[in-house]
Amino acid sequence: MEAHLGGGDALGAGWVSGDVYGWLLMLEKVVDGSSNMVVVTDAQRRIRWVNATYTRVTGWTLEEAMGRRPRELLHGPQTDAEELSRLTQRLNQRDSVGSVELVNYKKSGEPYIVSLSIEPLYDSRGDLQAYLSIQTDVTERRRLEREALELGQRLKVAQRLARLGRIECDPQHGQPAWSGEVFRILGLEPDGQPRGFEHLLAHAHEDDQVAVRRALAAGDASGQEVEVEFGVTGVHGGRRWVRCRGRQTPGFCGSMMAWTVQDVTIYHTRLDERRRLNEVLNRQVAERTRKLEASNQALAEFSYALSHDLRAPLRHLSSFATLLQDELAESGPCPDSVRLYADKINQAAGKMQRLIEGLLSFARFGREGLSLAPMDMGALVGELVAELRGGTAGREVRWQVQASMPTVLCDPILLREVWANLLDNALKYSGHREVSVVEIACEPHEDGWLFSVRDNGIGFDTAYADKLFGMFQRLHRDTRFGGEGIGLALVRRIVQSHGGRIWADARVNEGATFFVYLPSEPPLREPVPEVDAVSPPSVM
């Protein structure tokens, strides 16, 4: 024990009197296991003793610190010189020092923050014998306090950006209080007065107050979190909207309802703008619907004209051309050019008749809705293939039809038109082959079914595929292949009316494949027709 206090030589030198020495012996027993650093210096403030905690924190042992002044070991660039000067002045005046904070440095050079108290020790004659310093490392505490302060500042910024305030118990006063954001929403200056949810509700519109109090009563009865939204009027008369969520929480204020208060005025402004925009759009839709109905009426009148005013003259033209051909045949020799001209008149009349029939079919479909019913695609395709076999006498046609096909909800009459057109095209454009091959397949795809019709015909250049489904569009001018360019346009419209898509892939002289996607559940209304007939790559 004597060695810890400087040994016999030190005591003999008389650096402490007997009564102070006895006090120090007792102190060493008390502070041996202390979590605080304890330093004893002589009257000249040179270190005479340190406890184990001092060595653990600073890295300096008693042997290394003995006889040296604390400033020689502990002070550095960040040590506050002014605070150090004030401390020295008070010690020179032999005053006690309490809870002074300094930045000190460990033996390793690492800074730390210390809170120290220094007490002068006197002997029985009143002579200064030593200084007792109790030091506490508060670095971690100050770091936590700093982080808490920074976190609080960030929280305030986040709440400001989110327009989110709070109403909760103030632990310092034990009363409900508003956060600064609630004051800002109402245009008020914080006044430090106790303010709860009732004070906010006092700014609500009278009609909203009734609904809010009803929601509060329901929340009290169920014990669940309450969420209400209502309009408030600030000090300048401006109307704003707030959304409040509250729940019962115990605290210094007793069991009170803690609330979040969010400014949702922008949200309501956007809703009002959208409502006004919808009204404008509804008026535009109504106007366009009226114009569309007028257009449909005009189309109906045009269809009537085609049906009655044009077809009758065409029938007469065709009939007189046939009579002319018969008359020429019975009247004996005549110029070949006359017979040729009569044939061309008859052919042109027939073509015009077919065009008119196609236009009428296209127009009728546009005015009629879908009549949906489950349809076995396998049975429908099988029936059409059987019919087409009867018209291919003298040709070798190889049909490759998938064994099983699904039952699809569709308009059976219109889907029959789709299959009839696709199969007829496959036969027509593969007619120059020694063996015509037509493959029909199906697979599940995107909540629906993907059908395909593949042939080994003349194909086409996919650079012109966008014209394939257009009205009166034909990619082939070869006279071997008849047609008016209406069939695929009608097919595309039928498929789209079922909420599906149609597209094609081909290579010149290597055949073509037509793909038809049909959803499991067709839409209730005919969708807007697509402009591009080529499907995206993900479906190919």
Side-chain angles (χ1 to χ4, degrees):
M1 184 73 71
E2 291 179 359
H4 285 212
L5 293 174
D9 294 340
L11 292 175
W15 76 277
V16 291
S17 64
D19 52 354
V20 172
Y21 173 75
W23 188 89
L24 290 175
L25 290 177
M26 182 171 59
L27 175 65
E28 183 179 24
K29 293 182 180 180
V30 173
V31 302
D32 188 46
S34 173
S35 60
N36 295 321
M37 295 174 280
V38 180
V39 181
V40 177
T41 61
D42 60 20
Q44 289 73 41
R45 294 196 287 278
R46 296 182 181 277
I47 297 175
R48 290 299 180 178
W49 183 81
V50 297
N51 69 344
T53 301
Y54 179 91
T55 299
R56 177 175 55 78
V57 173
T58 68
W60 294 103
T61 64
L62 173 61
E63 289 74 14
E64 293 172 324
M66 180 73 74
R68 303 177 69 177
R69 296 180 185 274
R71 67 174 59 190
E72 299 174 16
L73 303 178
L74 306 176
H75 297 169
Q78 296 183 34
T79 305
D80 189 336
E82 294 183 1
E83 184 65 41
L84 192 60
S85 177
R86 287 192 293 270
L87 175 63
T88 302
Q89 183 178 1
R90 294 182 63 183
L91 292 177
N92 289 338
Q93 295 173 354
R94 297 187 178 184
D95 292 335
S96 298
V97 175
S99 301
V100 174
E101 288 193 6
L102 288 175
V103 175
N104 280 349
Y105 287 81
K106 300 180 181 180
K107 184 179 180 181
S108 63
E110 177 187 355
Y112 68 99
I113 302 174
V114 64
S115 175
L116 57 87
S117 298
I118 303 176
E119 189 71 29
L121 300 179
Y122 300 93
D123 61 14
S124 57
R125 295 187 300 274
D127 295 329
L128 176 66
Q129 296 292 307
Y131 291 96
L132 174 66
S133 176
I134 308 296
Q135 304 177 11
T136 304
D137 183 358
V138 295
T139 306
E140 182 66 15
R141 183 195 307 169
R142 294 296 175 259
R143 183 186 67 81
L144 293 175
E145 290 174 354
R146 185 172 59 254
E147 289 181 355
L149 180 62
E150 292 176 356
L151 182 60
Q153 294 297 329
R154 292 175 184 174
L155 180 60
K156 289 181 179 179
V157 172
Q159 290 175 340
R160 180 63 181 270
L161 293 176
R163 297 180 173 85
L164 184 66
R166 305 183 313 280
I167 301 176
E168 57 189 2
C169 182
D170 178 5
Q172 183 176 0
H173 301 96
Q175 295 174 326
W178 290 358
S179 68
E181 188 63 18
V182 180
F183 285 97
R184 190 200 65 79
I185 292 172
L186 296 173
L188 299 172
E189 292 294 330
D191 54 10
Q193 296 298 317
R195 293 180 182 270
F197 185 76
E198 285 291 334
H199 294 84
L200 176 64
L201 195 56
H203 291 268
H205 303 287
E206 185 175 353
D207 293 342
D208 291 340
Q209 289 187 16
V210 175
V212 172
R213 295 188 186 283
R214 189 180 300 116
L216 289 174
D220 288 340
S222 63
Q224 300 296 316
E225 179 181 279
V226 179
E227 180 173 343
V228 290
E229 195 168 294
F230 53 91
V232 294
T233 302
V235 293
H236 303 298
R239 181 183 176 90
R240 307 192 70 81
W241 288 88
V242 292
R243 179 183 296 134
C244 302
R245 290 188 177 92
R247 61 183 179 87
Q248 291 290 342
T249 176
F252 293 97
C253 306
S255 182
M256 66 164 285
M257 185 81 80
W259 293 90
T260 61
V261 182
Q262 186 174 20
D263 186 349
V264 292
T265 306
I266 293 179
Y267 170 72
H268 278 269
T269 302
R270 295 291 184 269
L271 283 181
D272 291 339
E273 291 175 355
R274 179 175 295 182
R275 190 178 300 110
R276 289 192 295 270
L277 180 59
N278 286 340
E279 292 174 356
V280 173
L281 291 176
N282 287 335
R283 288 195 296 269
Q284 292 177 348
V285 169
E287 177 63 18
R288 291 179 181 178
T289 300
R290 185 189 62 78
K291 293 180 178 180
L292 181 60
E293 290 173 350
S295 298
N296 287 337
Q297 180 63 30
L299 180 60
E301 294 173 357
F302 176 68
S303 300
Y304 180 83
L306 283 176
S307 177
H308 294 82
D309 300 342
L310 294 181
R311 286 198 294 180
L314 279 175
R315 283 196 299 270
H316 295 161
L317 181 62
S318 179
S319 298
F320 283 120
T322 301
L323 291 175
L324 179 59
Q325 288 174 318
D326 294 341
E327 187 70 23
L328 291 173
E330 295 175 358
S331 63
C334 71
D336 292 338
S337 59
V338 176
R339 290 190 175 91
L340 178 62
Y341 296 154
D343 288 340
K344 286 186 176 294
I345 292 173
N346 209 357
Q347 291 172 8
K351 182 175 182 178
M352 181 62 75
Q353 185 71 28
R354 291 190 297 273
L355 284 172
I356 291 175
E357 293 294 340
L359 284 172
L360 286 173
S361 297
F362 198 81
R364 278 196 301 270
F365 173 71
R367 298 193 305 272
E368 297 172 357
L370 298 179
S371 180
L372 300 177
M375 183 66 197
D376 184 344
M377 289 292 109
L380 177 58
V381 171
E383 180 182 333
L384 288 170
V385 168
E387 292 178 4
L388 291 171
R389 280 199 176 104
T392 56
R395 289 180 56 184
E396 183 177 352
V397 180
R398 188 178 303 159
W399 296 92
Q400 297 178 358
V401 183
Q402 184 170 307
S404 61
M405 289 194 180
T407 296
V408 178
L409 184 63
C410 64
D411 188 313
I413 295 177
L414 296 180
L415 256 294
R416 181 184 180 87
E417 187 74 16
V418 171
W419 282 109
N421 270 278
L422 295 179
L423 297 180
D424 183 67
N425 279 352
L427 287 177
K428 178 168 61 177
Y429 290 106
S430 63
H432 64 294
R433 303 293 190 189
E434 292 184 5
V435 178
S436 296
V437 180
V438 181
E439 302 176 17
I440 304 168
C442 174
E443 64 181 45
H445 183 75
E446 292 183 359
D447 297 326
W449 300 96
L450 183 62
F451 299 92
S452 62
V453 178
R454 188 188 309 272
D455 64 64
N456 64 337
I458 62 172
F460 58 86
D461 187 346
T462 53
Y464 304 101
D466 57 336
K467 297 182 179 180
L468 194 62
F469 300 96
M471 198 69 169
F472 304 121
Q473 297 288 336
R474 298 190 64 214
L475 299 186
H476 302 288
R477 299 302 179 186
D478 195 326
T479 56
R480 293 177 297 170
F481 309 112
E484 316 306 334
I486 297 177
L488 286 179
L490 181 60
V491 165
R492 182 188 183 194
R493 190 162 184 182
I494 293 173
V495 171
Q496 289 180 342
S497 73
H498 285 75
R501 303 188 299 277
I502 181 170
W503 66 97
D505 185 28
R507 291 185 180 180
V508 177
N509 293 323
E510 295 185 19
T513 304
F514 283 81
F515 297 92
V516 175
Y517 165 73
L518 293 175
S520 300
E521 296 185 5
L524 297 178
R525 294 183 178 180
E526 180 182 352
V528 177
E530 299 175 1
V531 175
D532 184 9
V534 181
S535 174
S538 62
V539 188
M540 295 299 291

